[in-house]
Amino acid sequence: MLFLDETKIEIAQARKGFSNTDLVSKTGLSPGTINSIKKGKRCKPETLHSIAKALDVDPKDLIHVGPLDRVI
């Protein structure tokens, strides 16, 4: 399971001109799922793929990277 970065999702949405409703429509995910992910709930890799595809970004660009996730 993965954590996505709300800010990164919102930046990608802004670049596409997508509201949350647009993102729901393009991904086929429920509004509740989108909201939960943005509030820090984990998601499956398939869900990440759907969001990244809809926003036309690389999936890795939406993943939350915390201090312990960084490779030094």
Side-chain angles (χ1 to χ4, degrees):
M1 299 290 257
L2 303 161
F3 291 100
L4 303 189
D5 189 306
E6 177 184 6
T7 302
K8 292 177 183 180
I9 294 171
E10 290 182 356
I11 289 169
Q13 280 183 252
R15 286 185 177 144
K16 295 290 280 185
F18 282 6
S19 66
N20 280 351
T21 303
D22 295 325
L23 190 57
V24 165
S25 174
K26 298 289 184 185
T27 61
L29 300 170
S30 73
T33 297
I34 297 293
N35 289 332
S36 292
I37 290 168
K38 285 186 166 188
K39 290 182 180 182
K41 298 259 182 170
R42 291 183 281 179
C43 73
K44 297 177 183 176
E46 306 86 53
T47 303
L48 167 59
H49 178 75
S50 295
I51 294 170
K53 184 175 178 181
L55 295 173
D56 196 27
V57 297
D58 191 310
K60 71 177 183 197
D61 294 337
L62 299 177
I63 296 173
H64 174 74
V65 179
L68 299 177
D69 297 327
R70 298 181 196 270
V71 177
I72 301 176

